[in-house]
Amino acid sequence: MSLYDEILESLEISPQRISKTAERFSHALADSSDCCGLKMLDSLFNRPAGNERGEALGLDFGGTNLRLFLVQIGGRGFRLVRDKVINIRHDRLNLDLTQSSVDGSQLFDYIAAEIGEMVDVGQDLPLGHCFSFPFRQADRNTGVLQEWTKEIKTGGVVGQDVNRLLEQALLRQGLVNIKPTALLNDTVAALLWAAYLEDRADIGSICGSGHNSSLVDGEGRIINVEAGNFHADILPINRYDTMLDHGSSNRGAQSFEKMVAGVYLGELLRLMLLDLSHETGFFPSLGLASKQLTVPNSIHSHDISSLLASGILSSGGKPVCFQPDEQERIQRLALALVKRAARLIAAAYLGIAEHLDPGLNHHHLISIDGSLYEKMPWFAAFIRTGLDEVMGERSHRIETRFLKDSSGLGAALAAIITTGP
Ligand code: GLC
């Protein structure tokens, strides 16, 4: 068997594997002392009542592109007043606040200054901070970062309360009227928002640069699963997954996320192509392209989206030249990677639904946000078919639905909840 076929085979996830992974995932949810890595963090937020109202800021800090929303909420709906994107890494501007050499105060000063540009002077506004990294909280307004994930490494933040860092930066900018009052994970914010709009939502998930889910437990509490850290023998880890892990900034951690999240898909494809370039004859142009492929993390998930849509692969912002038949094979490889990610996520979703409702007697609404789910060709459809294949006629019991901006809007809702009567 050629190396190419071997790789394709290693990426296949059979329906049996989906079921077994779901079962394993479900056990791990039931027993957090289990060694499968699910952190099951209590968000300290409950399912919303649906009658919350007010005006607030929601800051969505989930990766290098932060989103800020000013929103009026009421009557199970909302009015967006303004929103903006805050980039903390910008190649063209030579800005990178994600490196370990940068101090946390620089990072938060930059964010606070950007917030200051969007709000009217003197307006009192609570701010909900959706911070999508593992943190421990003692109350709804504080959270100590345990470790960075998704290749962010800014210094002086791990071990600190990130909402105090934000609050101090806002004060340094003279923004005394903006009060961070809530801190929550993106999956928690997404679920809070979905459950505000529609009572039935009981699972929230993010499929973007990172991957994670949250759930409403039997007592109405929203629990952050930290699904990305799931690891178990059932995961079909291949040599490229291992290579990626060894080259990552959080070696040994987030095994599941490294197979399914946007920030890693491009790197997995690059490692595979580089390996294939050593096989003579099969991919003649790969030899020439291999120099372009030696730079780690030079293929991003949006490059994979365009490859799937147009057949053209870019690395480091420049197209990599292939013959048409090679292009087609590379597309197949990328599609197999995307399919593997989606089917593993389908397994996690099934595991969560089975944990909440062992007989799957009820309807479950999984509200999903994130660029991978929204934009990656085939991704959402692969999750659906993965569920359909193993659930058969009960498949409609798990509904997956995209809800745009739910983490930012949920953060604003959280701010209103924490300041409400
Ligand atoms: C990473 C973070 C997690 C977050 C997810 C999605 O897995 O650890 O907290 O929810 O990314 O952004």
Side-chain angles (χ1 to χ4, degrees), residues 62 131-134 149-150 185-187 206 210-212 224 226 228 254 257:
F131 185 71
S132 314
F133 303 90
T149 51
K150 298 176 276 193
N185 176 261
D186 54 358
T187 59
I206 302 291
H211 170 71
N212 185 15
N224 166 12
E226 283 298 328
Q254 304 289 111
E257 183 162 68

